[in-house]
Amino acid sequence: NPATWKVADVLSWLDSQELGEHVPSFKEHAVDGKLLLTLNEQEMYATLNIVSPLRRKKLAMAIAELRASYVNP
């Protein structure tokens, strides 16, 4: 259940999604599973400093998959 993930779980998941370069920012902002599931594109850009639109899209799609698997396991 992604909603119960600790920060370390989120960082591992980022690596598995080939988004490991964003690990330091997620760690700095203590993004846990609950927070991850609520991230929007503005927060990814302004707070987590993910400047590439395609990286934000990739992350948003991966988060959407997580939400879907959580609701419909």
Side-chain angles (χ1 to χ4, degrees), residues 36-56:
L36 175 71
L37 293 172
T38 66
L39 283 179
N40 62 45
E41 192 164 341
Q42 180 60 31
E43 291 164 333
M44 292 177 201
Y45 178 75
T47 306
L48 297 171
N49 201 32
I50 303 173
V51 294
S52 165
L54 289 178
R55 288 289 184 175
R56 289 195 304 273

Side-chain angles (χ1 to χ4, degrees), residues 2-73:
T4 62
W5 287 358
K6 306 281 187 222
V7 174
D9 299 317
V10 171
L11 303 183
S12 294
W13 176 81
L14 279 173
D15 275 333
S16 76
Q17 299 299 309
E18 298 180 350
L19 292 164
E21 68 272 17
H22 302 297
V23 163
S25 184
F26 276 67
K27 187 174 183 179
E28 175 187 344
H29 294 285
V31 178
D32 61 10
K34 215 176 256 189
L35 186 54
L36 175 71
L37 293 172
T38 66
L39 283 179
N40 62 45
E41 192 164 341
Q42 180 60 31
E43 291 164 333
M44 292 177 201
Y45 178 75
T47 306
L48 297 171
N49 201 32
I50 303 173
V51 294
S52 165
L54 289 178
R55 288 289 184 175
R56 289 195 304 273
K57 184 174 186 170
K58 182 175 183 172
L59 181 56
M61 289 169 51
I63 291 170
E65 282 181 24
L66 274 183
R67 285 188 198 120
S69 68
Y70 171 55
V71 173
N72 303 308

